[in-house]
């Protein structure tokens, strides 16, 4: 087989982990990508979007790096200080920490953002519990490069490393300075180099409502002291936990730092170097804390620190503050709060006071506020924010107005199932985050985006299946199967954004849907005027009313939360336990559902008819939970696999409008898998199917029909993948470009790796492509689905594969042959 298959990432749907210090912006060298943790992955995301401008250009590049084996909860790019005393800038080294106490140091390779842009330097365990926050700087001390790294964790320890040669905690032999906060925690920390005096300060935001300042002693390569930092001041004033601290240079020998707190305020402090001639003044002065630094063979330095102002504009906890260092002469501070607002504060030199000049954020929706906000593109004209739910927000100042920009989105919890619309026009996914989402390609720019969030539920979701281009069915922990229909507003906007027309006989379709307060059902909205009147201010719970959208670009997070729901068509009852699997046939006339089960009486497969939404059969054959089902492409069979280590094959026959099912074959213990069977898939010709199991094997089974009523199924091939296999899927297209290959299929492993395998003319199984670790998932693959082709798609011989996993990500790949 001389032909070669190559794979490229088309899209990754994801969002940030729900952690307060899990977001940062990268260096200018690679165009300042958004950097954050998503499950175990480190994400570099470049969002170059100008949808509101005249050129209407957009570019989205997303790359994941799987250096961690636990959730990434702290992300911080290191900063370098120039020798001329200027502001610090982002370095090419990245610090990341996970919830198991591991600190990873990685470094940029080259100046291009791609799948190999980040290289792991070192990973080591530095805390007994989760890491809370990180910071690191580099500077020259007496012509010797010095690197400082600090981390705080759930073990109430603050560790500080001083490095001179290698950016490596273990090989350098450096012993960290350990500060024990007993039962307290450091929730935020920040280094700053006070120039030109060359003093290094470390500020710690603590849960005892205080800010602690530590001053670094003289750094000398010949004297590797593990107690370089000494506490010099303890600042009081906040009335709740202090969450973050950020510094900026103010005037010569004068610096400002801002602290945010759960007392809903932002405090701006001033740090100044004292001079003898300033003493003796009779003017009324703010109370100061003073401290001095003794330096060998040099003058003693004296400093004072005091409160400069208190900013009160937020109505809930304030989590982050960020100075604008764009060269703008105006002093600006950006703050983010759980009250759903982000404020730009500006210092007025004339009135000598701080004014909130800009407010952006979110209105409505059943969400909380923001964890972090930062200026982007080294400018105060772009703001990016990370919300409590992990969603990203992006605003750009255009002609005096702040415009919401297109930004990537995704699930915030493990994604259990995906399915393509019958013609491949869009992909639907469902997740433990209690949502179902639709992704499609934005035609003018050939970039993938979330186009709708048709279901926002109150129960964790487990499975989803498309019935036709306007209906899908989903199930989860609620024990109820729900059927949804596309509303007119979605169909109109989908055609506008993708250029694909889904609407057929939609005159009776509702405009949209809304969810009543405390409700779980999406109620159809046929007329905007006839929606329920807005609740009074005294009502505790307020309905989220549907507002029709006319979209020129993919919907924002606010619109996705409120205005893209699909109305429910039917609720189907019958299962006793949580719904676990669902599958539909190609024509969309039948679909099957299965629930969790520990007994044979509850392990039945319910088959439903879409013309009546009624149950037409309950199929017996399994004794434990059915993990996956699939109808054959020709519609004649249904295959199911289960935790009971068996597969069952049912035939489907029609007698007029009556549908009849029969168990025609079942696996035998001697020839089948020895562990749970997680997945199954039919070959395009419906003459064979494949199964994947925890026993690390993939098995190919062939159907031999001997007359109308005689069917034999035999195991034809076995492939050992070396790791538990969790997902498998046959490509529905005939392979062009690979010689001696009859079919290809994809296998997803428990490790997160995806392989593409081939079935040759003799029905032998061979692996032909293994995705690299960073392109694959970081946790178990849950489902694989090949995209169907239709006449409207460009046929370049390539294939499209979608995957989802426990790492909260949905990935779309393009596979081609060279």
């Amino acid at each position: 087989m001389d032909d070669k298959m190559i794979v490229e990432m088309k899209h990754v749907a994801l969002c940030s982990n729900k952690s307060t210090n899990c977001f940062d912006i990268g260096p200018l060298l690679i165009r300042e990508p958004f950097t954050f943790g998503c499950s175990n992955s480190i994400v570099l995301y470049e969002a170059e979007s100008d949808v509101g401008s005249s050129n209407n250009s957009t570019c989205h590049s997303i790359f994941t790096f799987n250096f961690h084996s636990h959730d990434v909860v702290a992300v911080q790019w290191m900063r370098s200080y120039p020798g001329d005393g200027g502001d610090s800038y982002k370095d090419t080294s990245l610090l990341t920490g996970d919830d198991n106490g591991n600190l990873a140091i990685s470094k940029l390779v080259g100046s291009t953002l791609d799948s190999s842009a980040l290289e792991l330097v070192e990973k080591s365990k530095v805390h007994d519990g989760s890491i809370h926050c990180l910071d690191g700087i580099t500077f020259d001390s007496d012509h010797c490069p010095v690197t400082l790294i600090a981390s705080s964790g759930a073990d109430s320890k603050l560790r500080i490393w001083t490095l001179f040669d290698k950016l490596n905690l273990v090989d350098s032999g450096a012993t960290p300075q350990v500060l024990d906060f007993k039962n307290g925690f450091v929730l935020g920390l920040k280094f700053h180099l006070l120039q030109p005096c060359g003093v290094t300060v470390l500020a710690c935001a603590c849960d005892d409502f205080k800010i602690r300042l530590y001053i670094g002693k003289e750094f000398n390569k010949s004297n590797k002291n593990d107690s370089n930092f000494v506490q010099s001041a303890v600042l009081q004033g906040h009335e709740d936990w202090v969450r973050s601290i950020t510094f900026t240079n103010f005037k010569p020998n004068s610096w400002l730092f801002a602290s945010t707190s759960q007392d809903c305020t932002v405090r701006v402090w001033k740090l100044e170097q004292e001079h003898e001639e300033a003493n003796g003044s009779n003017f009324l002065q703010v109370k100061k804390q003073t401290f001095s630094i003794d330096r060998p063979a040099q003058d003693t330095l004296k400093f004072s620190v005091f409160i400069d102002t208190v900013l009160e504009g937020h109505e809930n906890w304030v989590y982050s503050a960020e100075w604008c260092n764009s060269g703008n002469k105006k002093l600006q501070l950006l703050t983010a709060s759980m009250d759903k607002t982000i404020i730009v504060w500006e210092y007025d030199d004339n009135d000598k006071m701080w004014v909130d000049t800009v407010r952006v954020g979110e209105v409505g929706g059943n969400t909380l506020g923001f964890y972090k906000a930062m200026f982007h593109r080294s400018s105060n004209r772009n703001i990016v924010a990370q919300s409590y739910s992990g969603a990203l927000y992006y605003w750009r100042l255009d002609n005096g107005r702040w415009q919401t920009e297109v930004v990537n989105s995704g699930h915030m919890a493990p994604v259990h199932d995906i399915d393509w619309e019958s013609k491949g026009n869009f992909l639907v996914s469902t997740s433990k985050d209690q949502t179902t989402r639709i992704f499609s390609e934005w035609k003018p720019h050939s970039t993938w985006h979330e186009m709708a969030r048709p279901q926002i539920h109150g129960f964790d979701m487990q499975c989803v299946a498309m019935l036709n281009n306007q209906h899908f069915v989903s199930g989860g922990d609620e024990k109820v199967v729900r059927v949804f229909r596309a509303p007119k507003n979605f169909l109109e906007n989908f055609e506008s954004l993708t250029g694909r027309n889904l609407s057929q006989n939609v005159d009776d379709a509702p405009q949209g849907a809304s969810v009543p307060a405390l409700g779980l059902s999406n109620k159809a909205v046929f007329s905007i005027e006839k929606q329920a009147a807005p609740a009074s201010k005294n009502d505790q719970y307020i309905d989220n009313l549907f507002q029709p959208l006319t979209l020129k670009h993919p919907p924002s997070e606010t619109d996705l939360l409120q205005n893209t729901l699909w109305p429910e068509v039917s609720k189907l009852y019958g299962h006793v336990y949580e719904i676990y699997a669902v599958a539909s046939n190609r024509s969309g006339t039948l679909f099957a559902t299965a629930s969790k089960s520990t007994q044979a009486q509850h392990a039945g497969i319910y088959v439903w008819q879409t013309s009546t939404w009624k149950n037409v059969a309950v199929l017996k054959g399994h004794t434990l939970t059915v993990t996956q089902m699939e109808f054959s492409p020709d519609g004649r069979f249904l295959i199911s696999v289960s935790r009971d280590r068996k597969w069952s094959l049912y035939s489907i026959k029609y007698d007029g409008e009556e549908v009849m099912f029969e168990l025609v074959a079942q696996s035998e213990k001697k020839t089948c898998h020895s562990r749970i069977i997680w997945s199954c898939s039919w070959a395009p010709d419906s003459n064979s199917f494949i199964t994947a199991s925890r026993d690390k094997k993939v098995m190919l089974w062939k159907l031999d029909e001997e007359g109308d009523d005689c069917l034999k199924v035999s195991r034809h091939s076995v492939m050992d993948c070396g790791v538990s296999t969790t997902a498998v899927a046959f490509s529905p297209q005939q392979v062009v470009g690979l010689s001696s290959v009859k079919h290809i299929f994809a296998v997803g492993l428990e490790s997160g790796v995806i392989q593409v395998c081939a079935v040759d003319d003799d029905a032998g199984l061979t692996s032909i492509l293994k995705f690299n670790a960073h392109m694959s998932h970081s946790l178990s693959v849950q489902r694989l689905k090949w995209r169907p082709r239709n006449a409207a798609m460009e046929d370049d011989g390539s294939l499209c594969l979608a995957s989802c996993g426990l790492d909260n990500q949905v990935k779309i790949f393009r596979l081609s042959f060279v």
Side-chain angles (χ1 to χ4, degrees):
M1 197 160 42
D2 298 328
D3 307 279
K4 182 181 177 182
M5 175 180 285
I6 59 173
V7 59
E8 63 175 307
M9 187 88 73
K10 292 288 291 182
H11 181 65
V12 188
L14 43 70
C15 68
S16 172
N17 288 333
K18 296 168 67 173
S19 179
T20 55
N21 296 300
C22 194
F23 183 89
D24 199 11
I25 290 179
L28 185 61
L29 176 67
I30 51 173
R31 298 177 56 81
E32 298 184 315
F34 304 160
T35 310
F36 54 91
C38 176
S39 185
N40 299 357
S41 301
I42 302 167
V43 182
L44 298 185
Y45 167 38
E46 181 184 351
E48 181 67 36
S49 179
D50 293 309
V51 297
S53 63
S54 58
N55 61 2
N56 202 37
S57 64
T58 185
C59 171
H60 292 264
S61 301
I62 309 170
F63 300 97
T64 57
F65 301 89
N66 302 328
F67 297 146
H68 289 271
S69 56
H70 295 79
D71 284 355
V72 178
V73 293
V75 173
Q76 182 67 52
W77 285 94
M78 293 185 62
R79 292 165 289 121
S80 292
Y81 284 85
D84 59 4
D87 291 325
S88 64
Y89 59 90
K90 295 291 177 67
D91 202 346
T92 57
S93 299
L94 176 65
L95 305 175
T96 54
D98 61 36
D99 61 5
N100 194 45
N102 296 299
L103 169 61
I105 303 176
S106 50
K107 199 170 185 66
L108 282 176
V109 180
S111 58
T112 304
L113 186 60
D114 54 29
S115 59
S116 60
L118 211 57
E119 182 181 81
L120 180 64
V121 176
E122 180 198 41
K123 187 176 77 170
S124 56
K125 187 172 177 63
V126 298
H127 290 281
D128 291 334
S130 176
I131 290 179
H132 284 166
C133 50
L134 300 165
D135 196 28
I137 61 171
T138 61
F139 60 94
D140 285 340
S141 177
D142 294 331
H143 306 289
C144 176
V146 179
T147 299
L148 299 177
I149 296 175
S151 70
S152 70
D155 55 2
S156 299
K157 301 290 196 305
L158 172 64
R159 286 176 166 81
I160 308 169
W161 290 266
T162 303
L163 308 176
F164 294 97
D165 297 317
K166 298 180 179 180
L167 185 62
N168 194 300
L169 307 183
V170 177
D171 293 346
S172 64
T175 302
Q177 178 181 354
V178 181
L179 303 177
D180 192 348
F181 285 77
K182 305 302 180 183
N183 295 323
F185 302 104
V186 176
L187 304 177
L189 54 85
K190 189 67 69 175
F191 284 111
H192 192 67
L193 182 64
L194 307 181
Q195 302 191 75
C197 59
V199 174
T200 307
V201 60
L202 172 62
C204 298
C206 304
D207 68 337
D208 60 358
F209 314 164
K210 299 175 183 177
I211 300 169
R212 289 173 169 80
L213 296 183
Y214 295 86
I215 300 298
K217 296 181 180 179
E218 184 178 6
F219 300 101
N220 193 324
K221 185 176 180 180
S222 61
N223 181 23
K224 295 184 179 181
N225 193 343
D226 60 357
S227 300
N228 284 321
F229 283 85
V230 178
Q231 181 173 296
S232 300
V234 178
L235 308 179
Q236 302 185 46
H238 283 294
E239 299 177 354
D240 209 329
W241 290 7
V242 187
R243 301 301 313 205
S244 69
I245 294 179
T246 180
F247 280 88
T248 190
N249 297 329
F250 181 47
K251 295 178 180 179
N253 299 318
S254 180
W255 305 267
L256 294 178
F257 63 96
S259 61
T260 65
S261 170
Q262 292 181 185
D263 63 7
C264 309
T265 66
V266 180
R267 287 178 172 257
V268 179
W269 309 79
K270 184 175 289 186
L271 178 63
E272 293 182 333
Q273 184 175 350
E274 293 285 314
H275 298 282
E276 294 296 334
E277 59 269 17
N279 295 334
S281 174
N282 294 323
F283 289 104
L284 183 66
Q285 294 184 354
V286 177
K287 183 179 179 180
K288 301 180 180 180
Q289 286 195 49
T290 60
F291 56 91
S292 59
I293 302 174
D294 295 326
R295 300 187 299 176
Q298 297 186 53
D299 294 336
T300 298
L301 298 178
K302 294 183 179 180
F303 293 88
S304 65
V305 59
F306 56 93
I307 185 69
D308 184 73
T309 189
V310 179
L311 305 179
E312 295 185 349
H314 291 289
E315 299 176 353
N316 209 326
W317 298 355
V318 187
Y319 270 102
S320 77
E322 183 83 9
W323 296 100
C324 180
N325 295 320
S326 65
N328 188 359
K329 294 182 179 180
K330 294 182 180 179
L331 194 61
Q332 290 183 321
L333 182 67
L334 181 69
T335 59
S337 168
M338 292 298 283
D339 65 1
K340 301 185 181 182
T341 63
I342 295 168
I343 300 178
V344 178
W345 304 87
E346 187 173 295
Y347 185 71
D348 191 324
D349 284 325
N350 295 325
D351 295 332
K352 304 299 180 184
M353 63 183 297
W354 289 85
V355 181
D356 54 334
T357 58
V358 175
R359 283 179 180 258
V360 295
E362 187 179 27
V363 179
N366 298 319
T367 61
L368 296 176
F370 298 97
Y371 273 153
K372 198 163 188 177
M374 302 182 74
F375 291 110
H376 190 230
R377 294 280 179 251
S378 299
S379 168
N380 61 348
R381 299 178 61 85
N382 301 277
I383 296 174
V384 59
Q386 170 209 7
S387 70
Y388 170 83
S389 66
L392 302 180
Y393 291 75
Y394 194 25
W395 295 274
R396 181 175 55 86
L397 184 61
D398 184 33
N399 295 325
R401 297 186 62 184
W402 287 91
Q403 304 286 348
T404 302
E405 293 294 314
V406 176
V407 71
N408 189 51
S409 62
H411 291 283
M412 66 187 80
V415 188
H416 288 296
D417 204 1
I418 53 176
D419 197 16
W420 287 100
E421 184 263 344
S422 59
K423 295 183 179 179
N425 289 313
F426 59 81
L427 179 73
V428 60
S429 64
T430 196
S431 163
K432 201 173 181 180
D433 67 2
Q434 304 182 348
T435 67
T436 300
R437 307 183 186 218
I438 289 176
F439 302 92
S440 189
E441 194 172 19
W442 188 17
K443 197 63 176 178
H445 310 283
S446 298
T447 55
W448 286 78
H449 299 275
E450 185 177 352
M451 296 298 181
R453 205 167 292 175
Q455 185 180 14
I456 301 175
H457 207 39
F459 289 87
D460 293 354
M461 303 303 299
Q462 178 66 37
C463 51
V464 67
M466 290 299 303
L467 302 179
N468 52 48
N469 62 359
Q470 295 182 44
H471 290 83
F472 75 85
V473 58
S474 67
D477 290 353
E478 187 192 9
K479 309 173 189 177
V480 178
V481 179
R482 295 176 183 262
V483 184
F484 298 85
R485 179 184 182 182
K488 281 184 180 179
N489 193 238
F490 167 80
L491 297 171
E492 293 167 356
N493 285 318
F494 188 83
E495 182 176 2
S496 173
L497 296 174
T498 67
R500 300 187 179 116
N501 187 357
L502 301 177
S503 56
Q504 295 175 0
N505 302 322
V506 295
D507 294 336
D508 60 338
Q511 288 287 336
S514 63
V515 180
L518 302 181
L520 293 175
S521 299
N522 294 359
K523 300 295 184 182
V525 176
F526 289 91
S527 173
I528 308 304
E529 293 76 13
K530 293 183 180 180
Q531 292 188 88
S536 68
K537 294 181 179 180
N538 296 325
D539 286 349
Q540 185 178 3
Y541 303 104
I542 302 175
D543 291 350
N544 289 319
L545 301 183
F546 165 74
Q547 295 293 329
L549 303 173
T550 303
L551 299 175
K552 295 182 179 179
H553 54 78
S556 65
E557 182 70 16
T558 302
D559 287 330
L560 287 169
L561 286 168
Q562 299 184 60
N563 300 317
T564 61
L565 292 172
W566 286 23
E568 290 182 15
V569 174
S570 182
K571 287 190 285 285
L572 309 177
Y573 301 89
H575 290 287
V576 178
Y577 295 104
E578 297 92 334
I579 310 301
Y580 196 82
V582 61
S584 67
N585 63 357
R586 295 288 179 91
S587 61
T589 57
L590 297 173
F591 66 93
T593 59
S595 67
K596 292 182 180 180
S597 176
T598 57
Q599 298 175 340
Q601 66 184 91
H602 303 305
I605 299 171
Y606 283 63
V607 182
W608 311 83
Q609 206 162 25
T610 58
S611 58
T612 59
W613 305 120
K614 291 183 178 180
N615 177 235
V616 294
V618 179
L619 310 180
K620 301 295 184 179
H622 292 286
T623 57
L624 294 176
T625 304
V626 173
T627 54
Q628 190 180 351
M629 304 167 290
E630 187 170 303
F631 287 87
S632 61
D634 60 9
R636 297 172 55 214
F637 299 100
L638 171 67
I639 183 70
S640 63
V641 293
S642 168
R643 286 180 177 268
D644 62 12
R645 309 175 186 180
K646 295 188 299 186
W647 55 256
S648 297
L649 183 65
Y650 304 89
S651 64
I652 306 173
K653 295 182 180 180
Y654 295 87
D655 184 6
E657 295 183 357
E658 184 180 358
V659 186
M660 296 172 291
F661 293 83
E662 181 183 359
L663 178 61
V664 293
Q666 199 169 48
S667 60
E668 297 178 356
K669 187 175 182 179
K670 293 181 180 180
T671 58
C672 196
H673 296 281
S674 59
R675 302 292 298 276
I676 294 172
I677 306 178
W678 284 121
S679 185
C680 59
S681 180
W682 283 97
D685 57 12
S686 300
N687 290 326
S688 58
F689 63 88
I690 199 164
T691 56
S693 167
R694 183 180 283 175
D695 65 4
K696 306 178 184 180
K697 294 181 176 63
V698 171
M699 295 185 179
L700 179 68
W701 307 82
K702 295 205 66 159
L703 278 62
D704 298 317
E705 297 187 61
E706 300 176 358
D708 295 336
D709 299 323
C710 186
L711 177 68
K712 290 185 178 181
V713 180
S714 58
R715 191 182 73 181
H716 204 280
S717 300
V718 180
M719 184 176 71
D720 193 334
C721 296
V723 182
S724 296
T725 55
T726 53
V728 66
F730 263 113
S731 170
Q733 282 90 34
Q734 190 69 30
V735 179
V736 177
L738 290 177
S739 58
S740 70
V741 171
K742 188 175 182 181
H743 304 294
I744 67 168
F745 62 93
V747 178
L749 307 180
E750 192 174 50
S751 62
V753 174
I754 299 173
Q755 295 183 14
V756 178
C757 305
V759 181
D760 59 29
D761 295 334
D762 298 325
L765 306 181
T766 56
S767 176
I768 59 176
L769 176 67
K770 183 178 180 180
F771 293 13
N772 70 52
H774 298 319
M775 189 173 290
S776 300
H777 292 271
S778 61
L779 291 175
S780 175
V781 180
Q782 291 294 286
R783 193 72 74 232
L784 296 167
K785 290 282 185 177
W786 296 88
R787 185 183 188 184
R789 282 201 167 274
N790 63 60
M793 295 182 184
E794 181 182 354
D795 189 3
D796 57 359
S798 64
L799 301 174
C800 184
L801 175 67
S803 67
C804 67
L806 295 182
D807 58 358
N808 311 351
Q809 300 175 25
V810 176
K811 297 191 173 188
I812 301 175
F813 307 94
R814 178 180 178 270
L815 291 86
S816 55
F817 311 96
V818 294

